[in-house]
Amino acid sequence: MRTHTPIAQLEARDRPREKMSRVGVRRLRDAECLALVIGSGTREASSLELGQLILKKTGGPAGLMAADAEALRRIPGV
């Protein structure tokens, strides 16, 4: 994973929760929606970075829907 950027270090307008309040959930990217569900990240990755990693490892939203629990457990941070 690349350099870790905590959510708190993002501009307020770029944080998933604040962005959802401003533009609505339908305007969020898939990784931002996942970040809201994840809630908090790890020392190595923010919830947004974890959301991006999950989508990458599963092949996007359709792959995430098809992934089983074991496949998700293999993703660092999940």
Side-chain angles (χ1 to χ4, degrees):
M1 190 159 266
R2 59 184 164 57
T3 304
H4 170 54
T5 304
I7 294 283
Q9 289 183 2
L10 294 176
E11 293 285 331
R13 63 182 164 74
D14 294 330
R15 297 176 194 158
R17 224 175 263 136
E18 288 80 352
K19 186 174 178 182
M20 182 186 68
S21 294
R22 193 178 75 253
V23 300
V25 73
R26 292 181 186 268
R27 300 281 308 268
L28 295 181
R29 294 175 295 152
D30 295 329
E32 292 168 328
C33 289
L34 269 179
L36 292 171
V37 172
I38 292 167
S40 63
T42 66
R43 289 181 182 174
E44 294 81 28
S46 69
S47 58
L48 183 57
E49 292 164 339
L50 281 175
Q52 293 166 340
L53 179 62
I54 291 166
L55 289 169
K56 180 179 178 182
K57 295 283 187 182
T58 60
L64 176 58
M65 289 176 50
D68 62 12
E70 186 54 38
L72 295 174
R73 275 191 219 101
R74 287 192 296 263
I75 299 172
V78 174

